[in-house]
Amino acid sequence: MPLDLHAVASGGSAAFALATPLRVRELLALAVREAIGARAPHDKFQRSMKRTLAGLAAGDFTVDINGRHFTDGDSVVVCERIADVRFFITRRRGAGIEFHP
């Protein structure tokens, strides 16, 4: 399910608001905050961001932002008002749960 992120706050320069370059990790921070909720403690947000960036760097998933795939949090993407952010797992997961006594 895509997350609609308002990457640019209202106000300021209209030209800047129409096309804003952002690092992928900045959009991921907005996505993580949206997923865990605005009232989640800051330490939970920090842990979630660390895991998300580590997973992206390890290739566990890719990020699709407005139809473009990204695998690096330092990549730059230009957003116009709303960014559609989708996460895609790169490895197929098993159908069942393995149990090791």
Side-chain angles (χ1 to χ4, degrees):
M1 170 181 284
L3 294 171
D4 291 333
L5 304 174
H6 298 280
V8 180
S10 60
S13 170
F16 184 75
L18 292 176
T20 304
L22 295 169
R23 297 228 182 259
V24 169
R25 70 173 173 261
E26 294 168 338
L27 285 173
L28 291 178
L30 292 171
V32 166
R33 179 53 73 188
E34 180 76 18
I36 66 172
R39 298 182 70 186
H42 185 68
D43 63 321
K44 181 176 182 176
F45 170 75
Q46 291 293 94
R47 289 191 311 272
S48 297
M49 274 303 298
K50 185 176 180 177
R51 285 191 307 264
T52 300
L53 292 174
L56 183 64
D60 295 339
F61 63 90
T62 61
V63 177
D64 180 292
I65 301 172
N66 292 343
R68 292 182 53 205
H69 283 323
F70 295 92
T71 58
D72 183 7
D74 288 325
S75 297
V76 175
V77 62
V78 176
C79 298
E80 296 181 36
R81 297 184 188 186
I82 294 175
D84 294 323
V85 179
R86 294 181 171 97
F87 295 82
F88 293 95
I89 296 173
T90 57
R91 297 185 189 119
R92 185 177 178 143
R93 295 183 182 225
I97 298 172
E98 293 183 17
F99 178 72
H100 300 281

